[in-house]
Amino acid sequence: MPNNRNVYIADLKDKTGQEVTLSGWLYNSRSSGKIQFLIIRDGTGLCQCIIEKGKIPDKLFDDLKRLGRESSLTVTGTVRADERSVGGHELAVTDAKIISPTDSYPITPKSHGVDFLLKHRHLHMRSQRQWCIGKIRHTLIDAIRMFFNDNGFTLIDTPIFTSFAAEGEQTLFEADYFGTPMHLTQTGQLHLEAAAMSFGKVYCFGPTFRAEKSKTRRHLTEFWMVEPEIAFIDLDGLLELAENFVSFIVDRVMQKNRSRLQTLGVDLATLEKIKPPFYRLTYTDAADILTGDRTQKFLAEQLEQLKNQKQQTESKIAELEEKQKGRLKQWQKDKIAAELIELRTDLAETDTKIENNPKHAKLASEFRWGKDLGGSDETIISQMHDKPVFVTHYPGEAKAFYMKADRKETKVVLNFDLLAPAGFGEIIGGSVREDDYDLLVKRIAEYGLNAENYEWYLDLRKYGSVPHGGFGLGVERTIAWLTAEKHIRQCIAFPRLMDKIYI
Ligand code: 4AD
């Protein structure tokens, strides 16, 4: 094959001075008389291609000038290193071929509502932001597998169809399995416990389903979860494993995605802090924090900051609106329009936060021991910390039936949630499992579950029961945290939401 074929933008760094052909889509273009600047994307990156009139046939020059965003084409030219250029290299074009022209790409740099973009996710996934998130998701999943594979865990693929509830019957999706009612799995954990008794250290990784009737930014109805399960482990051992695991995957994501994280506006310094040990609080400590004066003071200060932020955003908007009235080139108009969209979105978010702040302050002050931590409670605790926080020893009544009661303080269970810092909230839930046959039978009855469905699970406590435990990390929530993305629907290619499946 000639060496100017099949060159990817990501490989241009090794091709300076050479003539290459790139194949891709037109991401953006502008022209200033005799020179055109085309930004091409090919799935591996962006490259600015410079076309001078006279260097290619006039007809082609004019056709390229009219070419709409997302038209597909090939361009041939000489690679030049240029630090100022997107991707660090540019192409001095000597030839081009339009593969499929379009002038009606529905997504423009101008404003589009969330609904429109979700309906067009099949196209919107080409945007820089969605592309960066998709690449980060890919390395996160690779890092997750690497961590467990390199630490002696065996992968067990657990089933999607199940006959029982593990995480509460209210969130089960029903399926008709040849006339027998069945459910889509909420977790692979129960099957994994059986596997841990054979292999010692195991993990499963796949899609899980919850009919969550909440439209929050943290909930999907189909999400990906990785779950390790280990025989002969206690709560301290689980916390240590979880903090080493999270630190490893964050480090790996950073190493592989520095420029993508920067494109997304992520403050890398905050991610660099993610190293063991993480903070450790008991649920009772967390309840004391929520109802204490420090939290009310913290929230009052936060409200002041939000109000300042609102003022600053409003004046920036006014400034740009004034600028818009002047004589501007089309690309300058587009740039301002795009900036205004972002600022107005920020403003709407700040307004929501200002509105919610007193509600969250009230919920926190009224928090009573025994309740599960709510989304806003988790947000407050996580905002008060600069590293992830383990919250351990929840009241048994607020948690799943399989969690092991603390033998010293039987009202609480040996469990933990891991809250990501800066307000992102829970990314992991885990526990030591009840390994006593009689206590587990009692819990199953207390939760009103059909004991017949759990006979095989109880067998594990009959035949060589051992202390064991594990946890589950939600992939989309972790990505939302790492990419500072506000809504987890942006963190999976084709999200499944409570109110709608778009495509
Ligand atoms: O805390 P959860 O419900 O724990 C379990 O399912 C355990 N069986 C795991 C185990 O011990 N093996 O869920 C674990 C994590 C949460 O911390 C969150 O990151 C994610 O799964 N998660 C969701 N992510 C998106 N949308 C939802 N509806 C989610 N529900 C849970």
Side-chain angles (χ1 to χ4, degrees):
M1 198 147 347
N3 73 353
N4 70 341
R5 286 276 161 256
N6 288 338
V7 169
Y8 287 105
I9 292 171
D11 300 327
L12 290 183
K13 54 187 180 312
D14 307 320
K15 309 264 179 215
T16 309
Q18 293 181 32
E19 174 154 285
V20 300
T21 298
L22 301 177
S23 306
W25 296 263
L26 183 61
Y27 185 69
N28 214 340
S29 68
R30 71 190 162 89
S31 114
S32 67
K34 295 195 159 95
I35 300 190
Q36 287 182 52
F37 301 91
L38 306 186
I39 303 214
I40 306 282
R41 52 163 206 92
D42 72 347
T44 73
L46 295 175
C47 177
Q48 174 160 271
C49 303
I50 297 162
I51 310 174
E52 286 178 50
K53 202 171 166 84
K55 296 258 167 88
I56 60 170
D58 282 355
K59 164 127 187 4
L60 182 59
F61 189 86
D62 291 341
D63 288 348
L64 287 170
K65 203 168 182 173
R66 278 194 299 273
L67 206 57
R69 292 187 67 193
E70 293 304 322
S71 297
S72 51
L73 72 165
T74 61
V75 280
T76 301
T78 312
V79 181
R80 291 197 298 233
D82 185 340
E83 270 180 22
R84 290 161 308 164
S85 197
V86 54
H89 289 83
E90 58 185 28
L91 208 67
V93 176
T94 52
D95 194 12
K97 190 163 163 266
I98 296 167
I99 301 171
S100 173
T102 173
D103 57 6
S104 54
Y105 188 63
I107 302 177
T108 65
K110 302 223 178 69
S111 176
H112 291 296
V114 171
D115 223 40
F116 178 90
L117 290 178
L118 279 170
K119 227 187 253 169
H120 290 82
R121 180 54 76 83
H122 55 295
L123 301 175
H124 188 225
M125 65 197 304
R126 303 179 190 189
S127 73
Q128 260 315 88
R129 203 171 166 84
Q130 287 308 119
W131 180 82
C132 286
I133 293 175
K135 290 298 246 186
I136 289 169
R137 182 181 172 111
H138 172 79
T139 45
L140 176 74
I141 288 176
D142 192 41
I144 288 172
R145 292 194 185 282
M146 192 184 286
F147 180 86
F148 290 118
N149 293 343
D150 290 352
N151 283 287
F153 284 73
T154 302
L155 173 73
I156 303 293
D157 296 316
T158 51
I160 301 278
F161 286 122
T162 60
S163 54
F164 56 82
E167 301 297 336
E169 288 184 310
Q170 325 75 264
T171 62
L172 283 173
F173 270 116
E174 303 234 331
D176 175 357
Y177 195 75
F178 305 110
T180 306
M182 210 42 85
H183 312 293
L184 300 183
T185 188
Q186 299 167 309
T187 167
Q189 178 201 317
L190 272 55
H191 290 99
L192 215 51
E193 286 183 54
M197 302 304 137
S198 171
F199 298 88
K201 298 201 282 185
V202 290
Y203 74 101
C204 65
F205 197 0
T208 42
F209 306 86
R210 307 257 173 116
E212 304 263 13
K213 302 218 171 45
S214 47
K215 289 194 204 166
T216 75
R217 64 191 173 87
R218 290 179 183 160
H219 290 97
L220 293 168
T221 53
E222 178 178 329
F223 62 96
W224 281 66
M225 178 158 55
V226 60
E227 300 180 81
E229 189 72 27
I230 305 101
F232 303 104
I233 198 162
D234 59 11
L235 186 58
D236 285 340
L238 279 178
L239 301 189
E240 217 174 284
L241 176 70
E243 66 192 357
N244 286 333
F245 167 59
V246 170
S247 305
F248 175 83
I249 57 179
V250 171
D251 184 54
R252 189 90 194 149
V253 163
M254 267 199 307
Q255 277 180 34
K256 297 263 167 191
N257 295 282
R258 251 168 211 284
S259 68
R260 289 171 198 140
L261 289 164
Q262 276 159 348
T263 304
L264 296 173
V266 175
D267 177 5
L268 290 172
T270 59
L271 295 185
E272 266 150 16
K273 281 199 197 138
I274 310 303
K275 304 233 167 11
F278 295 171
Y279 298 109
R280 285 160 165 75
L281 297 177
T282 64
Y283 165 91
T284 306
D285 296 334
D288 289 346
I289 291 176
L290 286 171
T291 50
D293 292 344
R294 208 181 112 215
T295 294
Q296 294 302 320
K297 193 163 163 266
F298 173 81
L299 288 172
E301 281 167 11
Q302 195 180 60
L303 186 60
E304 280 316 298
Q305 280 167 12
L306 287 168
K307 285 180 180 164
N308 284 340
Q309 205 174 309
K310 178 180 160 98
Q311 261 184 1
Q312 282 171 13
T313 314
E314 279 172 341
S315 49
K316 268 192 221 154
I317 290 177
E319 214 176 283
L320 284 179
E321 281 172 343
E322 201 46 47
K323 227 178 179 179
Q324 243 179 351
K325 291 180 192 155
R327 276 168 60 88
L328 297 169
K329 300 221 167 79
Q330 189 55 44
W331 68 268
Q332 289 172 316
K333 282 189 201 160
D334 288 348
K335 193 164 169 262
I336 292 179
E339 276 171 14
L340 277 171
I341 294 161
E342 269 194 26
L343 287 170
R344 287 187 187 124
T345 314
D346 286 352
L347 188 62
E349 273 158 19
T350 311
D351 277 337
T352 312
K353 284 184 190 160
I354 291 175
E355 203 185 307
N356 284 337
N357 178 289
K359 292 184 202 159
H360 293 171
K362 186 161 180 283
L363 281 174
S365 71
E366 289 170 357
F367 188 85
R368 290 293 163 263
W369 201 97
K371 276 194 345 182
D372 200 358
L373 295 182
S376 65
D377 305 321
E378 286 175 1
T379 306
I380 294 169
I381 305 260
S382 93
Q383 275 169 342
M384 293 169 95
H385 293 85
D386 58 353
K387 279 215 274 186
V389 190
F390 287 117
V391 183
T392 64
H393 301 88
Y394 281 61
E397 70 213 61
K399 288 289 174 186
F401 77 94
Y402 53 72
M403 295 188 180
K404 180 169 178 165
D406 186 344
R407 301 302 192 248
K408 288 186 264 147
E409 167 66 67
T410 50
K411 272 184 157 174
V412 301
V413 284
L414 299 174
N415 82 311
F416 72 95
D417 280 351
L418 180 66
L419 310 183
F424 282 94
E426 184 199 319
I427 54 167
I428 294 187
S431 72
V432 179
R433 322 303 186 189
E434 186 52 76
D435 50 39
D436 180 273
Y437 183 90
D438 295 328
L439 289 178
L440 190 56
V441 169
K442 206 165 144 241
R443 289 278 280 184
I444 289 171
E446 278 167 9
Y447 277 68
L449 299 168
N450 180 357
E452 260 178 41
N453 285 336
Y454 299 88
E455 271 172 21
W456 67 267
Y457 186 63
L458 283 161
D459 268 357
L460 307 175
R461 279 70 182 168
K462 265 199 220 163
Y463 305 112
S465 188
V466 300
H468 65 286
F471 58 82
L473 169 127
V475 166
E476 292 77 16
R477 286 208 194 158
T478 306
I479 297 169
W481 164 43
L482 298 179
T483 60
E485 182 54 64
K486 282 159 206 108
H487 202 300
I488 64 169
R489 65 177 168 230
Q490 304 304 106
C491 302
I492 182 162
F494 301 105
R496 267 63 191 118
L497 303 166
M498 180 202 150
D499 48 346
K500 221 178 234 170
I501 288 183
Y502 287 84
I503 59 168

